[in-house]
């Protein structure tokens, strides 16, 4: 039987390669192989029928050397400690690539939230927040949304933490609703960042977005918004998918209609989608990843592009909207095939960049308009892209290794300046 996929090992493999390429000594980066702190909690929830269920949850703080830990909370039935550890490390690298003053952290609860009522979900969120409260806070570790969590849930996190402290503390969490200190532009920020990064890539390749055909895996907050904004810039979106499967149209989907359909009602799945005009072909998720497009945006979960799928990928460019969608083996195959891949820690950093803007507004009691936020995001992520592109050219490496090298250099330097306590 094939060895179970462990995203933490995936992270370690890339870290080692990048450190080697930088010529670092082991003692300079060894601490990045271990999270600073791991907390495991058992979260009891009183269910609507009066029974009590206990869910396992985690908060991992990978590195705080460049600033408070930062990273989302996911609710997913397959979440485990190795996944959360990998995601926490990727946040450290992401914040370093984006050059925002944060380290990395991540949280998760092993639960399928679609099986819970809204009241159960709220009780789960509040109890989980109370149990991780000793280690989070605006100066320590700042959660945000991730897979299956959203602004409403962040509002409950903010309220629970504030109640425990006795006063309102909006800066404890980002991705909040606007009314309680959220930032304009935050809900779309990750998808918008994917669009900016795609634009920067194509610019360097001498291509225009309108000449590019695209497939997007995942129609959630990242994939859905990225598909809509790339389409707005003139790209032809040939295929998209959600958990139920994919849809394909050779001359381009009506992406605004598809987007509206997926948002119209909870539970609206693409397998049941019928366009108002013309026809779409219903295809599998795997077919979305391997269809005849120029550019692929995997924006669902880890481990989507495996070695078997990589062999059949036809796209020449990949922009990773999800965290860790490509396995190490798949990466090697794609490199050999000459595919240019913009890695997750750069491509999806738009979310945490605007989270940083939200936190800055919170701690200074300011509020910026959406145009300002979007422009600042463009500037920050385009600079990150340029840094990664330049080091990749200099070292003749993939963009993934270029992004890791950019991040590791910054984190290692911060470690050297601070020294090891005591
Ligand atoms: N969950 C998002 C990510 O993986 C956002 C994290 C944040 O805003 O802190 O980047």
């Amino acid at each position: 039987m094939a060895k179970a996929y462990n995203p933490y090992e995936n992270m370690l493999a890339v870290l080692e390669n990048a450190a080697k390429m930088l010529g670092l000594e082991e003692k300079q980066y060894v601490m990045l192989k271990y999270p600073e702190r791991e907390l495991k909690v058992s979260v009891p929830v009183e269910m609507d029928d009066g029974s009590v269920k206990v869910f396992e949850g985690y908060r991992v703080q990978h590195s705080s050397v460049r600033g408070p830990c930062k990273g989302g909370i996911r609710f997913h039935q397959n979440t485990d400690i190795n996944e959360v550890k990998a995601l926490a490390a990727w946040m450290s690298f992401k914040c370093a690539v984006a050059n925002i003053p944060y380290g990395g952290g991540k949280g998760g609860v092993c639960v399928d939230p679609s099986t819970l009522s809204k009241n159960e979900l709220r009780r789960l969120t509040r109890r989980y927040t109370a149990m991780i409260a000793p280690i989070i806070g605006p100066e320590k570790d700042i959660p945000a949304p991730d897979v299956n969590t959203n602004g409403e849930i962040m509002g409950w996190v903010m309220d629970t933490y504030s109640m425990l402290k006795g006063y309102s503390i909006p800066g404890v969490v980002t991705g909040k609703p606007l009314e309680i200190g959220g930032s304009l532009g935050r809900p779309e920020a990750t998808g918008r960042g994917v669009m900016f990064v795609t634009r920067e890539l194509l610019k360097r390749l001498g291509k225009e977005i309108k000449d590019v055909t695209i497939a997007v895996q995942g129609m959630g907050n990242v994939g859905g918004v990225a598909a809509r904004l790339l389409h707005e810039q003139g790209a032809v979106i040939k295929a998209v998918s959600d958990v139920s499967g994919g849809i394909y149209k050779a001359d381009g989907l009506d992406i605004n209609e598809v987007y509206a359909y997926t948002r119209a009602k909870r539970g609206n799945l693409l397998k049941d989608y019928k366009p108002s005009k013309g026809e779409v072909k219903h295809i599998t998720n795997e077919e979305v990843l391997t269809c005849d497009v120029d550019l692929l945006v995997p924006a669902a979960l880890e481990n989507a592009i495996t070695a078997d799928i990589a062999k059949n990928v036809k796209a020449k460019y990949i922009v990773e909207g999800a965290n860790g969608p490509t396995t190490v083996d798949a990466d090697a195959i794609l490199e050999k095939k000459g595919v240019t891949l913009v890695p997750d820690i750069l491509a999806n950093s738009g979310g945490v960049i605007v989270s940083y803007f939200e936190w800055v507004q919170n701690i200074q009691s300011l509020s910026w308009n959406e145009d300002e936020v979007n422009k600042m995001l463009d500037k920050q992520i385009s600079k990150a892209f340029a840094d990664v592109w330049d080091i990749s050219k200099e070292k003749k490496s993939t963009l993934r290794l270029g992004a890791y090298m950019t991040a590791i250099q910054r984190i290692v330097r911060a470690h050297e300046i601070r020294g090891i306590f005591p």
Side-chain angles (χ1 to χ4, degrees):
M1 206 180 84
K3 202 163 149 270
Y5 170 73
N6 179 344
Y8 199 71
E9 284 172 10
N10 186 341
M11 184 285 288
L12 287 175
V14 186
L15 170 66
E16 289 288 356
N17 279 341
K20 217 173 278 159
M21 213 168 234
L22 284 169
L24 295 179
E25 283 179 60
E26 163 111 19
K27 69 171 189 187
Q28 290 177 282
Y29 68 93
V30 63
M31 60 281 165
L32 294 178
K33 296 204 233 172
Y34 305 91
E36 281 176 14
R37 192 177 278 120
E38 291 171 46
L39 176 63
K40 177 167 158 280
V41 292
S42 302
V43 188
V45 178
E46 192 171 343
M47 307 303 280
D48 292 344
D49 65 4
S51 66
V52 174
K53 277 196 187 157
V54 180
F55 300 91
E56 195 163 292
Y58 319 92
R59 184 75 192 172
V60 174
Q61 299 173 340
H62 174 260
S63 169
S64 62
V65 70
R66 297 182 73 256
C69 298
K70 184 83 190 82
I73 296 169
R74 69 171 51 180
F75 289 168
H76 196 275
Q77 59 276 18
N78 297 336
T79 290
D80 62 21
I81 188 66
N82 286 325
E83 183 190 59
V84 179
K85 275 167 66 180
L87 289 161
W90 288 330
M91 286 309 303
S92 301
F93 302 137
K94 194 183 300 187
C95 293
V97 169
N99 217 356
I100 51 178
Y102 285 142
K106 201 82 172 197
V109 178
C110 184
V111 61
D112 176 357
S114 69
T115 62
L116 302 183
S117 71
K118 189 150 171 182
N119 280 329
E120 289 166 345
L121 187 63
R122 185 169 48 217
R123 288 195 287 272
L124 172 81
T125 305
R126 285 187 175 286
R127 182 62 186 243
Y128 168 73
T129 306
M131 295 183 86
I132 64 165
I135 66 163
I136 63 170
E139 315 83 15
K140 288 198 258 184
D141 182 0
I142 306 132
D146 196 73
V147 173
N148 292 337
T149 55
N150 55 23
E152 184 177 37
I153 293 174
M154 296 308 113
W156 297 332
V157 172
M158 181 269 196
D159 184 69
T160 304
Y161 187 80
S162 299
M163 287 301 113
L164 291 171
K165 296 286 171 184
Y167 57 99
S168 281
I169 308 178
V172 65
V173 65
T174 58
K176 301 176 291 294
L178 267 185
E179 295 82 348
I180 55 168
S183 177
L184 287 162
R186 177 62 185 88
E188 303 81 27
T190 315
R192 190 174 295 278
V194 167
M195 184 271 281
F196 287 144
V197 157
T198 305
R199 181 199 66 198
E200 291 303 301
L201 171 72
L202 295 174
K203 212 193 278 172
R204 299 229 179 12
L205 299 170
K207 294 194 183 323
E208 295 201 35
I209 290 197
K210 67 173 179 35
D211 299 325
V212 169
T213 58
I214 299 181
V216 181
Q217 183 206 29
M219 272 302 272
N221 188 43
V222 182
V225 174
R228 196 162 53 75
L229 295 179
L230 286 162
H231 174 75
E232 209 176 273
Q233 298 295 313
V236 176
I237 314 290
K238 277 189 168 184
V240 296
S241 67
D242 65 11
V243 282
S244 73
I247 52 174
Y248 175 93
K249 192 160 184 268
D251 60 352
L253 295 160
D254 179 346
I255 213 68
N256 289 328
E257 183 180 289
V258 176
Y259 185 85
Y261 168 82
T262 57
R263 265 70 182 164
K265 155 165 137 271
R266 201 173 164 202
N268 249 359
L269 293 172
L270 288 178
K271 71 175 174 42
D272 304 316
Y273 171 73
K274 283 192 194 65
S276 59
K277 272 192 265 120
E279 295 284 324
V280 298
K281 198 167 138 196
H282 286 267
I283 59 177
T284 63
N285 238 302
E286 187 168 334
E287 285 169 326
V288 170
L289 296 171
T290 56
C291 71
D292 59 328
V293 288
D294 302 314
L295 190 141
L296 175 65
V297 181
L301 289 170
E302 302 95 72
N303 199 17
I305 307 180
T306 57
D308 283 342
I309 289 178
K311 284 180 202 142
N312 298 321
V313 163
K314 294 188 194 65
K316 295 185 280 303
Y317 319 110
I318 297 179
V319 178
E320 291 185 329
N323 288 313
T326 312
T327 66
V328 174
D329 297 347
D331 237 358
I333 294 170
L334 294 169
E335 188 185 351
K336 222 172 268 158
K337 285 172 69 161
V339 175
T340 303
L341 182 150
V342 185
D344 46 7
I345 57 170
L346 168 61
N348 70 34
S349 64
V352 75
I353 290 173
V354 177
S355 275
Y356 166 57
F357 298 157
E358 177 175 334
W359 176 80
V360 169
Q361 291 170 81
N362 292 155
I363 57 182
Q364 299 186 88
S365 302
L366 291 173
S367 105
W368 302 335
N369 70 44
E370 189 160 0
D371 198 41
E372 255 175 298
V373 170
N374 291 346
K375 281 200 182 116
M376 285 165 63
L377 166 60
D378 190 354
K379 204 169 146 202
Q380 195 88 21
I381 206 165
S382 299
K383 173 73 171 82
F385 187 94
D387 291 345
V388 170
W389 183 266
D390 292 348
I391 197 170
S392 305
K393 290 285 153 240
E394 183 196 321
K395 303 268 185 193
K396 298 187 177 33
S397 77
T398 59
L399 293 174
R400 184 175 320 277
L401 282 174
Y404 271 73
M405 284 191 281
T406 307
I408 293 166
Q409 264 178 340
R410 289 179 181 156
I411 301 172
V412 164
R413 186 74 195 115
H415 264 295
E416 280 167 358
I417 292 167
R418 290 180 60 161
I420 297 179
F421 177 84

